[in-house]
Amino acid sequence: MRKAIIDSGPLINLTYLGLALKLSNFFNLIYVPSNVQTEVNRKHGFRRHLKKLYLTRIFQRCGCADPYNVELLTRLTPALHKGEAEAIAQAQERDVSVVIIDEEKGRKHVASMKNLTAVGTIGILARLHLEGHAGDPRELIAKLRRDRKFRVTDEIVNDAISKAGIPI
């Protein structure tokens, strides 16, 4: 079974675009850490969207087995916020190989770890498009930029699109 952990940014972006459930093309189970749930519900008003995702059983709430690992990560890498730190800690606890995360600092931390891969909103949009499950990623990103103030350079977008052929 393929499993992933998702951070708040990609969860919000993919939900906003109506594509969160398309993650089932790549994963059987997607864990949503408790700090991510809190952030999504409090800051972005996605509570009812999140409840619908949980009903599918593809998305699953999860808490950290050892909160000390989250605290340690946030102290060692102060640039990580709690949601990112919890996602990374839980990926290790739950033997998950993919962390869906957008923030550069979080992606770099994941990349430095053994047996973990980071993939972001743009990579997922590009791969979904390649497989015929989503529209043009540049148009979707333009919508996120306009409506959600999604910040990403064209260089990063082009790089992610060029790598869409690499399986997630």
Side-chain angles (χ1 to χ4, degrees):
M1 175 179 348
R2 260 249 32 248
K3 300 179 283 184
I5 299 259
I6 194 164
D7 189 32
S8 59
L11 179 59
I12 291 164
N13 294 331
L14 294 168
T15 300
Y16 180 76
L17 294 171
L19 297 172
L21 287 177
K22 299 287 184 179
L23 288 171
S24 66
N25 290 296
F26 312 119
F27 308 105
N28 304 91
L29 183 61
I30 301 160
Y31 292 111
V32 182
S34 57
N35 281 313
V36 169
Q37 294 172 64
T38 301
E39 182 179 338
V40 168
N41 288 333
R42 187 184 65 232
K43 293 183 180 177
H44 302 282
F46 274 67
R47 183 177 308 271
R48 75 176 164 68
H49 295 291
L50 201 50
K51 284 182 180 181
K52 286 181 182 178
L53 292 175
Y54 291 143
L55 290 174
T56 67
R57 300 186 192 262
I58 296 164
F59 288 82
Q60 189 175 96
R61 294 176 179 93
C62 63
C64 214
D66 188 354
Y68 178 74
N69 289 336
V70 176
E71 182 66 28
L72 187 61
L73 269 173
T74 54
R75 286 183 186 210
L76 293 175
T77 314
L80 292 177
H81 66 69
K82 277 195 169 187
E84 292 165 339
E86 188 178 5
I88 293 166
Q90 285 192 35
Q92 293 176 309
E93 288 178 5
R94 297 176 182 276
D95 194 30
V96 171
S97 61
V98 177
V99 179
I100 304 170
I101 189 169
D102 280 342
E103 294 290 330
E104 182 181 12
K105 59 192 173 275
R107 292 172 64 84
K108 283 183 178 179
H109 192 82
V110 169
S112 73
M113 301 179 76
K114 192 176 186 180
N115 300 325
L116 279 182
T117 302
V119 64
T121 299
I122 302 165
I124 288 179
L125 293 176
R127 186 66 189 195
L128 285 171
H129 175 71
L130 182 70
E131 294 185 5
H133 301 292
D136 182 336
R138 286 184 177 83
E139 290 175 15
L140 295 169
I141 292 161
K143 180 179 174 94
L144 289 174
R145 283 175 168 162
R146 182 183 66 243
D147 300 347
R148 302 291 312 163
K149 297 181 179 31
F150 185 62
R151 292 174 291 144
V152 65
T153 65
D154 289 335
E155 180 183 352
I156 292 171
V157 171
N158 293 333
D159 184 52
I161 290 171
S162 73
K163 293 177 180 173
I166 300 170
I168 292 176

